[in-house]
Amino acid sequence: MLEGDGFDVVGEASDGAEALAEASRHRPKVIVLDIGLPDGSGLDLVESLRALSPGVVIVLVSGRRESDFGGRVAASGADRFLEKARLVPGAIPLVLADMASS
Amino acid sequence: MSRGAAALIALVALAAGLASEHVRQVWLQPLWVPVIDLGVGWLLVGCGLVAAVARPNQPAGRRLVLAGSLWIVGAPRQWFGGTGRTDDFIQLDAVSFTLVGWSDAVIAFIALAYAGRLPARRRDLMIVGALVAAYSFQTFVRFLNVFPDLFGVDVLNPDGSGTVLAIADVLRTSLLGVAGLLIAQRWLATRGSSRRLLGPVLLAGAASCLVPLYGIWFPLSQLGFIDPVPESLAVPSFWLTNAVRVLVPIAMLFGILRQRVSRLAMTDVIADVGRTPSAVELEAALARALGDPSLRVLSWDATQSAFLDVDGRPTPLPPDGDPQTVTPISGQGRPIAALVHDRSLAEDPTLVAVGVAVTRLVIDNENLNRELRQQLDEVTASRARIVDAGDAERRRIERDLHDGVQQRLLALALSLRRAGVAITDDPAAAEALGRGADEALGVVSDVRDLAQGIHPAALTEAGLATALQALASRSPVPVELDIGLDGRASPGASATAYFVASEALANVVKHASAAIVQLRASSPDGEIRVTVEDDGRGGADPFGPGLRGLSDRVSAIGGRLTVEERAGGGTVVTAVIPAR
């Protein structure tokens, strides 16, 4: 889907530990991070990922609503939150465009 | 003895006393003669009747009535019944003297056999029999004038009969003294509350038997062993022997009055124990009321097969022959408790019966309370486990829905969407696929709402504070939040607190027409306190199904829910829940 939107997908990870390894190797510009990870919460990973590649745009995604996490999404340091239902082709470019305009 | 019978006997005794005095023309004598005659006689009969009514199981009262009757018939003659009289009434004088003597013998027997000491019975009877025989001797001698020369004694001759009677006097006075010593010995052998209960009668009995020993001077002087007794000694002797006759009836009356006081004290026991019904209090109150500091209340412990004292220590029962005895208390064929007390308390079966009844009530009450507490503890624990299990199940279902159905529906929607985007040559098919994707997302939303109702995702993901924030943010009525939670609550407690807030908030939305709701949550001292306060129209029914169910759920884990009318309109729902 991301490739369909014109992104170059440099790495894929199936859990938090892998995500850190991939991020440190590839220094991506955009990270789409699921909150519900097998080895913990994506919310706790945002700071470390940002430290590995400064200037990265981190988009948190979850099947749950943002309100289900209270203020924790905002507090995590992530740039945007996207419900999975909205994670459709064209969604990420829209998010980036929105960020650039604001 | 019934009260009616006692009253009848009392009337007869009154009449007989007066008649007896009249027959003997005692009215011509100085006043003290009839006063002593009637005073002693009526006192003996009266006290005897009181004792017979108060303690119908004991023979002492009836024996006292017998002693009094003998006295009433005999006494008016005795002052003239000295030896050597030759008037027409000489034989009757002798009979009177004997009757008075029998009266004394019966009194001695009352004290000897008081409160029935069976092992001593035979000896007591022998002594009293000998006394009766000795007192009968004078009558016997008097009637011997039918056979004037029997035994070689000229009994009509004052000197001859005087000698025989003086010897008989010495004999019976000594016998009375022996009886007195035996009674005194019994008194010495009593201890504790035995002495307290039996002491007065035993001491009175000993005195009434030993004091007349003083009179042995007279026959001894008659027999020439000692100098004649001066008149100055004879008068006090007369008063003394009559005074001690009333000691035993007065002591018995005293015992009965004190028993009444003890029974009154029993009502104090019931009052005390009613206030704080515990075995400890019961034991102290019973010991106080019965005057037996050694009294113990033991309760039966079926698991240990032993009696326990009030502190719960296994306690052996006193062996046979111990001064203490056991009154067992059982119910439905099983032992419940036992009273260990001084043997003498058994003298008053009524008192012991009251003690037993009170003890039974208290021990039953304690046992029931303990069983009830155990059952309640079990029920409370199992109720909390059921609620916890329900919560855990709801969490699992919510997670399963989220991780399973929802994810697969999202994947389906995404696939449909991508397929729709990929089809460029057939707009109708692409649109159908897009609708399919939308439909799938609609189902995702439905599933999410369903899961939210089963268990709020926020509670799992971020805890109670976040869940309450999410709840407040979804509310159609504006919610003012004040949350200060330390986050240490168990999942069960958090879920319960959440459901209180959610249910109360739903009620506000449905019924209250409120402008604003305040939702407060804090965690003081290992508790969670949740308050939902609205400014609506109030009138919430705490016993309606919604609040009732909520209250059940809160109390199931040991918390409490209160629903109050808010001053100035509105409703305040507060739940205080152990954070566990």
Side-chain angles (χ1 to χ4, degrees):
Chain A
M1 181 186 79
L2 287 170
E3 281 169 348
D5 285 340
F7 289 102
D8 182 14
V9 178
V10 293
E12 277 183 80
S14 56
D15 60 33
E18 246 181 75
L20 288 172
E22 291 293 303
S24 80
R25 189 180 319 142
H26 300 295
R27 314 274 163 161
K29 295 201 170 63
V30 178
I31 297 177
V32 178
L33 178 62
D34 197 343
I35 290 179
L37 297 174
D39 58 350
S41 172
L43 292 168
D44 302 328
L45 229 53
V46 175
E47 285 296 322
S48 321
L49 289 174
R50 199 178 289 289
L52 285 172
S53 47
V56 69
V57 171
I58 299 179
V59 180
L60 283 170
V61 296
S62 171
R64 305 202 190 283
R65 295 185 182 88
E66 187 176 358
S67 64
D68 287 344
F69 299 99
R72 291 182 66 200
V73 170
S76 68
D79 297 288
R80 279 292 186 277
F81 175 86
L82 204 58
E83 279 184 36
K84 279 190 186 169
R86 301 189 190 287
L87 189 58
V88 294
I92 298 296
L94 259 176
V95 166
L96 295 178
D98 182 50
M99 280 183 65
S101 70
S102 62
Chain B
M1 189 182 289
S2 74
R3 282 165 192 272
L8 195 65
I9 293 173
L11 277 176
V12 170
L14 282 173
L18 295 173
S20 182
E21 296 289 304
H22 183 70
V23 164
R24 296 315 302 160
Q25 298 177 321
V26 175
W27 314 122
L28 304 176
Q29 303 296 323
L31 185 62
W32 55 262
V33 174
V35 165
I36 286 188
D37 283 354
L38 294 175
V40 173
W42 286 343
L43 194 73
L44 288 170
V45 172
C47 291
L49 289 174
V50 169
V53 170
R55 298 177 180 175
N57 299 333
Q58 289 182 29
R62 294 190 291 278
R63 288 172 184 162
L64 208 54
V65 173
L66 173 64
S69 305
L70 290 169
W71 171 275
I72 285 173
V73 176
R77 287 302 302 155
Q78 66 168 333
W79 317 126
F80 315 101
T83 56
R85 289 282 298 272
T86 53
D87 63 36
D88 295 343
F89 291 105
I90 191 160
Q91 283 84 6
L92 196 53
D93 286 344
V95 172
S96 296
F97 181 85
T98 299
L99 291 177
V100 168
W102 286 355
S103 170
D104 285 349
V106 171
I107 291 173
F109 182 64
I110 288 171
L112 271 173
Y114 193 63
R117 294 244 300 184
L118 289 180
R121 204 94 199 238
R122 183 188 298 263
R123 190 195 60 187
D124 295 345
L125 279 171
M126 276 170 63
I127 291 195
V128 173
L131 263 173
V132 168
Y135 279 113
S136 307
F137 186 70
Q138 186 176 19
T139 311
F140 177 68
V141 169
R142 283 300 171 201
F143 280 97
L144 281 185
N145 63 3
V146 182
F147 316 101
D149 294 327
L150 208 67
F151 300 137
V153 178
D154 176 7
V155 293
L156 289 180
N157 177 322
D159 288 343
S161 64
T163 305
V164 172
L165 292 176
I167 292 170
D169 261 0
V170 173
L171 184 66
R172 63 179 166 74
T173 310
S174 310
L175 270 172
L176 205 57
V178 170
L181 288 175
L182 288 172
I183 296 167
Q185 186 198 33
R186 254 198 83 187
W187 178 76
L188 285 173
T190 57
R191 291 279 175 276
S193 75
S194 274
R195 172 166 287 191
R196 200 180 75 95
L197 280 170
L198 308 181
V201 169
L202 294 181
L203 282 177
S208 66
C209 291
L210 291 172
V211 167
L213 274 176
Y214 176 76
I216 207 165
W217 284 72
F218 298 96
L220 285 179
S221 67
Q222 271 180 308
L223 292 170
F225 288 114
I226 54 171
D227 293 336
V229 182
E231 190 68 16
S232 60
L233 279 180
V235 172
S237 162
F238 164 79
W239 282 107
L240 262 178
T241 31
N242 280 299
V244 294
R245 283 201 172 96
V246 302
L247 286 180
V248 166
I250 286 175
M252 277 176 61
L253 198 62
F254 172 73
I256 287 161
L257 287 178
R258 195 166 56 180
Q259 178 186 330
R260 285 287 138 94
V261 173
S262 292
R263 288 187 188 169
L264 277 179
M266 253 333 186
T267 60
D268 288 349
V269 171
I270 295 166
D272 287 352
V273 168
R275 222 173 290 123
T276 46
S278 72
V280 179
E281 177 63 29
L282 171 72
E283 186 177 272
L286 276 180
R288 228 172 16 243
L290 298 175
D292 179 7
S294 69
L295 183 138
R296 293 288 168 264
V297 173
L298 305 180
S299 58
W300 176 254
D301 181 5
T303 54
Q304 294 186 52
S305 281
F307 280 105
L308 308 182
D309 67 9
V310 292
D311 299 321
R313 285 185 297 263
T315 307
L317 297 178
D320 281 348
D322 197 83
Q324 286 200 311
T325 188
V326 180
T327 301
I329 303 169
S330 58
Q332 292 159 356
R334 293 178 303 135
I336 293 173
L339 284 181
V340 177
H341 56 83
D342 195 279
R343 216 167 261 286
S344 60
L345 284 186
E347 306 308 334
D348 188 353
T350 313
L351 208 54
V352 173
V354 175
V356 164
V358 178
T359 306
R360 185 195 298 280
L361 286 176
V362 169
I363 300 289
D364 269 354
N365 185 45
E366 288 212 324
N367 288 343
L368 284 175
N369 268 341
R370 189 168 46 240
E371 281 170 27
L372 203 61
R373 266 199 308 275
Q374 280 169 358
Q375 285 177 4
L376 194 62
D377 287 351
E378 283 165 21
V379 169
T380 306
S382 78
R383 200 158 71 135
R385 280 197 302 275
I386 288 168
V387 168
D388 278 351
D391 276 343
E393 191 60 15
R394 280 160 166 263
R395 267 198 304 279
R396 192 187 63 75
I397 292 170
E398 192 274 338
R399 230 178 236 293
D400 283 356
L401 284 175
H402 176 262
D403 294 346
V405 179
Q406 231 178 310
Q407 297 296 335
R408 294 178 70 175
L409 282 171
L410 283 168
L412 172 66
L414 193 58
S415 296
L416 290 173
R417 184 94 54 208
R418 288 171 68 181
V421 172
I423 296 175
T424 50
D425 52 350
D426 187 347
E431 198 194 326
L433 285 168
R435 274 202 308 277
D438 289 344
E439 197 61 30
L441 288 180
V443 177
V444 166
S445 177
D446 286 353
V447 168
R448 193 154 59 176
D449 287 348
L450 177 67
Q452 175 73 23
I454 292 171
H455 191 87
L459 207 51
T460 320
E461 293 301 335
L464 179 58
T466 302
L468 291 177
Q469 279 162 5
L471 184 67
S473 69
R474 285 198 302 275
S475 167
V477 180
V479 177
E480 225 171 61
L481 272 177
D482 177 6
I483 294 180
L485 290 165
D486 60 13
R488 283 203 293 258
S490 70
S494 297
T496 303
Y498 177 83
F499 282 118
V500 168
S502 131
E503 181 73 27
L505 213 51
N507 282 344
V508 171
V509 171
K510 260 188 276 178
H511 308 297
S513 327
I516 193 157
V517 184
Q518 287 180 326
L519 172 53
R520 293 188 290 275
S522 55
S523 42
D525 307 328
E527 287 178 337
I528 306 179
R529 177 184 287 267
V530 180
T531 306
V532 177
E533 182 177 334
D534 70 71
D535 60 354
R537 67 163 78 101
D541 177 12
F543 302 106
L547 286 171
R548 184 76 250 179
L550 211 53
S551 174
D552 284 349
R553 200 195 149 113
V554 169
S555 64
I557 59 168
R560 57 188 187 279
L561 183 83
T562 52
V563 179
E564 294 160 309
E565 290 290 308
R566 177 173 169 271
T571 307
V572 184
V573 176
T574 304
V576 179
I577 301 160
R580 280 187 299 144

